[in-house]
Amino acid sequence: MKAIEIEGLIKEFDGIRAVDGISLEIEYGEIFSLLGPNGAGKTTTISILATLLKPTKGKVKVNGYDVVTQAGKVRHSIGIVFQDPSLDDRLTARENLDIHGRLYHMKKDERRKRIEEVLEMVELQERADSLVKTFSGGMRRRLEIARGLMHKPRILFLDEPTLGLDPQTRRHIWNYIEKLRNEGVTVLLTTHYMEEADKLADRVAIIDKGKIVALGSPSELKDSIGGDVIKIRCSDANKMAAILSSNGFNAMIVDNEIIIKAKKAEKEIPRVFALAKDIEIKSIMYKEPSLEDVFIHYTGKAYREEAGDEMEAIKRRWRMRR
Ligand SMILES: Nc1ncnc2c1ncn2[C@@H]1O[C@H](COP(=O)(O)OP(=O)(O)OP(=O)(O)O)[C@@H](O)[C@H]1O
Ligand SMILES: [Mg+2]
């Protein structure tokens, strides 16, 4: 049995396909990441796994239970940290956790013990009795993770666990997620931060417009695009790309920059200069591929958040806090 089995999942909202035929299996104990830009379908997929939305089509099992016909059993198997904040900030940290434990019918002693454990895990013991409204964004996020773990779920869903947090807080949260690995919790996290998926996930599914465009471990994905990535800026990108393409390179223009791949970049760069002739090369650099390059490779477009979209998501988070 797998922790999560998804087969041919489709979700439509009034004719819009938010999830367009996803199939995926996640093993117990894995940290798995759905990585994709705004609107890719990450939250929709997690919401279906968590039984908050019904699939339009397809079969989905979580912890061996069907999300439609055995929704109650699924809910008991999982913890979830939502993309948008969902703590009651008029209550203390401890009270938020206690309410959650009651919802899951945990006994008083069990709740008391578990509250200490989860608070310790996210290093919030000292603030246990402070009102959540006095917490910073990072502290709230940590408390939400603690709450997701309160009833000892086998599987934890984290929807954008570090959205809008500063780099230092983000790294703290990564540490807690790493700890979950040792505790044997299966984690499915969504993110649009390449670095986050790269650092944390055993395997990553890159999704775009509701479809999986690539799936594998971060290093498999990077290897799959074949060697180093060379980026060239020059006086005439179209002409240069055409020359490169007719000389055996697979050249792509993204953001006015030419991207080519090479097994060994050092060997190919002199050839690029030789081919340029009257085209002025303004800059040329090469690097080992990142997940960003993987995204570009499989979708043919730049991985760029609409800056406004990320700001919108962060603002929404703040609004909901009030
Ligand atoms: N309740 C809804 N009604 C109509 N359309 C929806 C609804 N929820 C999501 N969508 C649409 O489905 C698509 C996928 O949205 P989803 O929230 O799953 O994306 P996401 O990958 O989580 O994006 P983000 O990174 O912004 O959180 C988007 O086009 C969105 O507008
Ligand atoms: Mg989302």
Side-chain angles (χ1 to χ4, degrees), residues 35-40 194 206-211 213 231 252-257 259 261 290-306:
L35 171 69
N38 291 131
M194 300 282 174
I206 299 184
I207 65 171
D208 186 39
K209 298 197 186 122
K211 287 193 161 80
V213 295
K231 293 187 175 181
M252 240 189 329
I253 302 180
V254 178
D255 280 351
N256 234 357
E257 218 174 33
I259 298 180
K261 287 175 205 84
S290 64
L291 287 182
E292 182 166 10
D293 300 309
V294 176
F295 184 87
I296 293 170
H297 178 86
Y298 287 108
T299 64
K301 62 181 187 194
Y303 186 88
R304 192 181 328 106
E305 296 301 327
E306 299 302 327

Side-chain angles (χ1 to χ4, degrees), residues 202-237:
D202 298 311
R203 285 193 305 148
V204 178
I206 299 184
I207 65 171
D208 186 39
K209 298 197 186 122
K211 287 193 161 80
I212 294 181
V213 295
L215 173 71
S217 70
S219 58
E220 279 166 3
L221 288 173
K222 292 180 217 166
D223 288 347
S224 75
I225 69 173
D228 297 332
V229 176
I230 304 174
K231 293 187 175 181
I232 306 155
R233 281 192 182 276
C234 61
S235 52
D236 189 340

Side-chain angles (χ1 to χ4, degrees), residues 13 18 37-44 83 160 192:
F13 296 106
N38 291 131
K42 305 181 294 292
T43 297
T44 306
Q83 179 167 349
E160 305 273 359
H192 59 254

